[in-house]
Amino acid sequence: MDTVTTTEAIPPWLRAPWESLIRRGRDGRLPTGLLLHGATGVGKALLSRALVQALLCQRATGAEAACGECNACRSFVGGVHPEVLGLEPEEAGKEILIAAAREATDFLSLSGSGNLRCVLIRPADAMNTNAANALLKTLEEPPPGAMLILEAAQPARLPATIRSRCQIVEIPTPGATDATQWLLGFADDARAVDEAYAASLGRPLAAREILTDPERMARWEQDREALSTLLGGQGISVMAGSMQRSLPESLIPRIQALLIAAQRLLVSGEPDAFGRQFPRDQLEGFARRTGSRRLAQLSAQALVWQRQATRQLNPQLRMEDIARSFLRR
Ligand SMILES: [Zn+2]
């Protein structure tokens, strides 16, 4: 289980889905399979956990959030509630395997003490085909009180048999104004908020982590340094060396954002929010040297790098390949 706390206020853009889900939950009208579809970092985990905690809470009624104080809330927050199981990859970026999925279905088939027994699957699109198939029977013939909440940014990667047995709830991505307004509740400094929001590529929950977790902030600063060497074109070994200190899954989407920022600067004459995190003359120099045609090619190439980001490739060769692409005209 991650560190999202659930006794906080529901962010404004999640209020509509929250109201609908909690009311249906109170009336016993939620389906066995609930598929929350939304971009990474918009709050799917916060919403699903808030929902389950509120339904298990011994005090909350109506559309109220969980109290955070009763025994049920305490064991939920402590990750030891007996009616809740998290189904996640053993390591970030890896698949969820069939053995873990079987544990989850076994867990749901045990008769619990209450009315609700819940498995939170995160991210559901990390399940491999066998793991997903292991859930089918539970979705078709659910034991009493069983509920599966699947969180997915790319539900198309789930088997159609799973998708068709779940009710899909669309989780909206907030606009910049709503997101930064919310983020100001966690930092006083508007510039820091703008930076974290840009660094998160418009994902408010990820931006909050950058604001509040020094490790995430350090990772962003390392990524920004690596991106600066790409802008400066300082030679393959400098560029690849700096990029190797970053995590590919964090760096590569930011490379893509940098390429978009350079393209926008050429078109509109102004850097976008991500582009503003770099010295203007550095970004502009890079954009003009590279040219819009080559920038478009690099953007397309970045999609391939992104698909490869979680694979076990030799990191040095991969980063050298990226550096070489940036130097090629
Ligand atoms: Zn409670």
Side-chain angles (χ1 to χ4, degrees):
M1 285 280 172
D2 61 344
T3 53
V4 172
T5 56
T6 52
T7 44
E8 62 181 315
I10 303 288
W13 64 93
L14 297 178
R15 269 182 213 141
W18 158 260
E19 291 266 334
S20 155
L21 288 169
I22 186 67
R23 286 189 193 286
R24 285 154 69 203
R26 294 271 181 241
D27 298 345
R29 289 186 290 118
L30 283 178
T32 302
L34 204 55
L35 173 55
L36 305 187
H37 172 214
T40 305
V42 295
K44 297 187 297 297
L46 190 156
L47 184 66
S48 63
R49 302 195 66 205
L51 175 68
V52 174
Q53 190 183 347
L55 293 175
L56 293 167
C57 174
Q58 293 154 325
R59 292 186 199 157
T61 56
E64 280 172 15
C67 76
E69 288 165 7
C70 69
N71 284 339
C73 280
R74 277 190 214 175
S75 51
F76 182 91
V77 172
V80 294
H81 197 292
E83 312 291 351
V84 183
L85 183 77
L87 179 53
E88 297 179 6
E90 278 181 21
E91 257 179 84
K94 296 273 164 68
E95 289 185 329
I96 296 176
L97 303 175
I98 186 168
R102 284 211 180 110
E103 266 174 47
T105 55
D106 288 350
F107 167 81
L108 288 173
S109 66
L110 297 170
S111 59
S113 57
N115 307 315
L116 177 66
R117 206 165 169 79
C118 185
V119 170
L120 294 159
I121 310 175
R122 177 169 195 246
D125 36 21
M127 285 192 289
N128 68 20
T129 311
N130 290 338
N133 285 337
L135 301 180
L136 271 182
K137 192 166 175 293
T138 305
L139 285 168
E140 281 164 355
E141 298 162 38
M147 183 151 113
L148 293 137
I149 305 185
L150 294 80
E151 298 170 25
Q154 294 171 286
R157 285 166 57 178
L158 286 165
T161 45
I162 294 282
R163 283 200 311 273
S164 66
R165 283 165 180 80
C166 291
Q167 220 172 78
I168 299 182
V169 177
E170 297 292 340
I171 309 299
T173 300
T177 314
D178 283 354
T180 48
Q181 194 63 38
W182 177 72
L183 287 167
L184 281 168
F186 305 96
D188 306 328
D189 181 355
R191 272 188 50 180
V193 164
D194 284 344
E195 179 183 345
Y197 184 60
S200 78
L201 311 181
R203 302 174 303 147
L205 274 288
R208 183 175 68 174
E209 285 185 355
I210 294 170
L211 280 174
T212 57
D213 178 352
E215 202 179 302
R216 297 283 172 141
M217 178 55 94
R219 200 179 296 165
W220 154 240
E221 282 168 354
Q222 167 53 45
D223 284 0
R224 181 166 54 189
E225 195 186 306
L227 295 174
S228 283
T229 68
L230 288 180
L231 290 179
Q234 290 155 0
I236 287 177
S237 61
V238 174
M239 291 154 85
S242 184
M243 283 191 286
Q244 269 183 67
R245 287 193 286 278
S246 291
L247 295 174
E249 60 268 33
S250 129
L251 178 66
I252 290 172
R254 285 171 175 157
I255 291 178
Q256 202 153 26
L258 186 71
L259 291 165
I260 291 169
Q263 285 167 300
R264 294 233 172 102
L265 181 63
L266 285 184
V267 172
S268 72
E270 285 304 318
D272 63 11
F274 194 78
R276 283 198 295 276
Q277 307 310 317
F278 299 85
R280 159 112 197 198
D281 52 350
Q282 195 186 30
L283 181 64
E284 191 157 5
F286 165 77
R288 299 216 177 282
R289 264 197 329 272
T290 309
S292 56
R293 213 187 115 175
R294 181 69 190 140
L295 285 172
Q297 286 172 349
L298 284 169
S299 287
Q301 185 61 41
L303 288 175
V304 178
W305 295 330
Q306 193 151 3
R307 275 201 295 277
Q308 295 169 340
T310 53
R311 297 214 198 119
Q312 304 287 352
L313 300 176
N314 179 321
Q316 187 181 343
L317 289 181
R318 192 210 324 248
M319 294 311 172
E320 283 175 3
D321 181 45
I322 293 176
R324 210 169 285 122
S325 302
F326 266 77
L327 291 171
R328 204 178 300 135
R329 294 277 173 264

